[in-house]
Amino acid sequence: MLLFIYKQLWNRKRSNSWLLLELLLVFCLIWYIVDFLFITVHDYNLKNYRSLDYTWQINIGQLPEEHPEYSVAQQEPEAVNRNIDRIMQLIKSHPAVESVGISFHQSAPGKGSRWGIYFVNPEDTTRQFEGRRITIDPAYDFFSVFKLSRGKGLIPVKIADFESHIPNGIILSEAFEQELFAGAPGVGKKLLHRDLTEEFHVIGVIDNTKRLSFERPEKIAYLFRKLDADNFFSAETVIRSKSNLSPELFKSTFVEEMTLPLRVGNFYLRNILYFPKIESDTNRMFGRDNTILSQISLMLFLLLNVILCLIGTFWYRVNVRKEEIGLRIAIGSDRKGIMKLFCIEGLCLLSAVIIPAVLIELQLVNLELTMNPYGHSEPIYWGDHSILRFIVTNLLTILIMTVTLLLSVLIPAKKASALMPADSLRHE
């Protein structure tokens, strides 16, 4: 039967050559769309090992000098440090507050600010990578506020779990450790700053976290700094509220109960912000989520149009052969046999373009014209394994085209074979 089908296809080689060219272009286009959607969904679903639920940023303001309650004496460094300690103790002791943390330079999760740091592995100086720097005060538990962890989320971590008193001690994210030490354990090892003058000691490794939802987890280094009068206004006071209170109830209760007590020296409670709202505003400000969603919508729309184009081509191809269908029925062919014949014809045409299409795709990969080019980084995630990703996306493409092709052949072939032979022969 296959030999007969191939002879039939060869006899129509002029019209089939254009159809093969169309199938080739459609295959490559669908593969590109599938690859984009595959890596986008892959990155979005990478685990983000932190929680923003019930987390808040407490913003403390300072009275202007012209304010009637402003005190010059309260601006002395000793008074400022004393007032800062008092404020932190008041926040920490609130009955609805579970944990308190301090970070610097808008680097808390869900925010857009990014401070970089560049490390060199002295044991292998080819391992040089830049990552995100997050500076925290080890006197407060930043890790507990955002429920950071290790062991793929199985083990919650606290700042007390690490020897933060070690000079120039740093805690790395797992992604940063893998890059700098090529997959080997990094705890207890040393790193150098890019200028090779400053030495850091790795005192711990924790799970990966993301900056934005559609991005991959970042390479992060946690450094330490003590909160004082000089850096108070570049710091963020972050807290986790107890889960037995709804966010709305906690916010109203905290503001009502703490506005007066936090009026310490020249400081006052300015506002309290919910981190899920901060993250939403950050995504909107950068436009990243909207951009990705727009790209996904465009790709899905393009995919739908390509599929409809393919359906229309094969639908027309079957309809113009109604006289052939009628003749086959007249000489004794059954409807199932006719439908099977057209399906196998379509699959034969599809199989003929797979190898040329794969060769074209390989050129696109080599030219790095795909999203997150193949092999662009360490194979930390399974989507970075070029061969596996290429095979998976091509199998998905073949599946989409096979289903589309069968639907575009079966429906018109079924309708055509339902006609009486005399009616079908009139089409000639």
Side-chain angles (χ1 to χ4, degrees):
M1 185 175 183
L2 280 177
L3 182 61
F4 170 75
I5 290 174
Y6 278 115
K7 285 183 178 179
Q8 288 284 88
L9 293 174
W10 178 254
N11 291 335
R12 296 187 179 88
K13 55 182 177 293
R14 184 173 180 180
S15 60
N16 285 337
S17 60
W18 289 105
L19 185 58
L20 287 170
L21 180 61
E22 180 182 345
L23 281 173
L24 178 64
L25 295 175
V26 167
F27 192 102
C28 293
L29 185 56
I30 291 180
W31 170 81
Y32 187 88
I33 296 171
V34 167
D35 185 77
F36 172 87
L37 295 174
F38 171 81
I39 205 63
T40 300
V41 173
H42 169 271
D43 290 355
Y44 181 78
N45 285 288
L46 291 173
K47 186 68 175 177
N48 195 4
Y49 293 102
R50 49 89 165 156
S51 171
L52 295 186
D53 295 333
Y54 302 104
T55 58
W56 305 82
Q57 177 174 312
I58 309 296
N59 292 322
I60 303 297
Q62 181 174 288
L63 298 175
E65 294 182 7
E66 60 271 14
H67 195 279
E69 296 182 19
Y70 180 85
S71 171
V72 176
Q74 294 295 332
Q75 288 302 108
E76 294 295 327
E78 291 183 3
V80 172
N81 284 326
R82 185 170 59 251
N83 292 336
I84 290 173
D85 290 339
R86 174 64 178 160
I87 288 171
M88 296 307 298
Q89 286 302 318
L90 287 168
I91 294 173
K92 194 174 183 179
S93 62
H94 190 279
V97 173
E98 184 176 298
S99 53
V100 180
I102 294 291
S103 60
F104 296 88
H105 305 302
Q106 302 293 316
S107 57
K111 293 197 163 187
S113 178
R114 188 184 188 281
W115 291 69
I117 189 166
Y118 201 102
F119 286 124
V120 179
N121 183 350
E123 297 177 0
D124 180 2
T125 54
T126 63
R127 313 296 298 184
Q128 303 182 22
F129 296 98
E130 187 269 346
R132 185 183 181 191
R133 169 180 181 157
I134 296 180
T135 306
I136 60 178
D137 186 340
Y140 304 93
D141 203 348
F142 178 88
F143 292 165
S144 291
V145 171
F146 296 104
K147 292 191 178 297
L148 303 187
S149 62
R150 56 188 173 90
K152 304 298 183 185
L154 297 176
I155 307 172
V157 296
K158 301 180 292 185
I159 197 67
D161 297 336
F162 306 98
E163 297 178 296
S164 57
H165 61 276
I166 295 177
N168 276 4
I170 58 170
I171 299 171
L172 300 178
S173 66
E174 186 181 337
F176 216 168
E177 179 196 40
Q178 286 185 299
E179 293 273 27
L180 288 166
F181 298 103
V187 178
K189 296 184 179 179
K190 297 178 181 179
L191 291 171
L192 298 177
H193 193 265
R194 187 175 190 174
D195 57 13
L196 306 181
T197 59
E198 192 173 7
E199 190 176 79
F200 294 88
H201 303 271
V202 181
I203 62 173
V205 176
I206 63 175
D207 290 331
N208 296 324
T209 59
K210 294 183 179 182
R211 181 167 170 240
L212 299 173
S213 56
F214 281 102
E215 293 184 351
R216 293 186 171 196
E218 289 188 296
K219 299 186 288 287
I220 300 176
Y222 297 89
L223 286 75
F224 305 111
R225 176 190 299 173
K226 180 176 172 54
L227 180 68
D228 56 33
D230 294 330
N231 57 34
F232 182 70
F233 287 104
S234 66
E236 302 135 349
T237 303
V238 296
I239 65 170
R240 170 170 287 275
S241 61
K242 294 182 177 178
S243 58
N244 60 345
L245 291 177
S246 67
E248 295 78 13
L249 181 58
F250 171 79
K251 182 176 182 179
S252 61
T253 302
F254 187 89
V255 171
E256 181 181 349
E257 295 179 356
M258 298 300 289
T259 298
L260 186 58
L262 291 179
R263 178 64 182 85
V264 179
N266 290 325
F267 296 117
Y268 67 96
L269 176 62
R270 191 170 64 195
N271 57 30
I272 173 172
L273 302 176
Y274 195 39
F275 264 103
K277 177 66 164 57
I278 293 174
E279 182 183 44
S280 176
D281 292 342
T282 299
N283 287 330
R284 185 165 54 252
M285 177 180 67
F286 279 90
R288 179 63 175 164
D289 282 6
N290 288 336
T291 300
I292 291 293
L293 290 174
S294 297
Q295 290 174 341
I296 291 174
S297 300
L298 181 61
M299 287 294 185
L300 290 174
F301 178 74
L302 183 59
L303 179 62
L304 178 61
N305 279 272
V306 170
I307 289 175
L308 290 175
C309 177
L310 188 62
I311 289 174
T313 300
F314 276 88
W315 197 297
Y316 175 77
R317 185 173 182 272
V318 173
N319 279 332
V320 297
R321 296 171 65 185
K322 284 184 177 180
E323 71 281 0
E324 178 187 337
I325 294 172
L327 183 60
R328 289 183 179 278
I329 294 174
I331 61 176
S333 296
D334 61 354
R335 293 173 181 176
K336 288 185 178 179
I338 291 172
M339 293 168 63
K340 181 180 178 182
L341 174 67
F342 278 92
C343 287
I344 295 176
E345 272 192 17
L347 294 176
C348 288
L349 290 170
L350 175 61
S351 63
V353 303
I354 291 177
I355 293 178
V358 168
L359 294 176
I360 294 174
E361 293 164 11
L362 287 172
Q363 297 304 312
L364 296 176
V365 170
N366 290 332
L367 294 172
E368 296 189 350
L369 296 178
T370 57
M371 181 181 180
N372 282 355
Y374 284 65
H376 78 291
S377 65
E378 295 281 336
I380 299 174
Y381 309 107
W382 77 273
D384 289 323
H385 293 273
S386 300
I387 296 176
L388 179 60
R389 173 179 164 186
F390 192 76
I391 292 174
V392 169
T393 52
N394 271 286
L395 288 177
L396 289 172
T397 302
I398 292 171
L399 177 62
I400 292 172
M401 290 200 65
T402 299
V403 172
T404 302
L405 190 146
L406 291 177
L407 288 176
S408 61
V409 168
L410 282 173
I411 297 174
K414 184 178 180 180
K415 288 184 176 181
S417 61
L419 295 174
M420 295 299 292
D423 293 331
S424 299
L425 290 172
R426 288 197 189 99
H427 287 274
E428 190 171 5

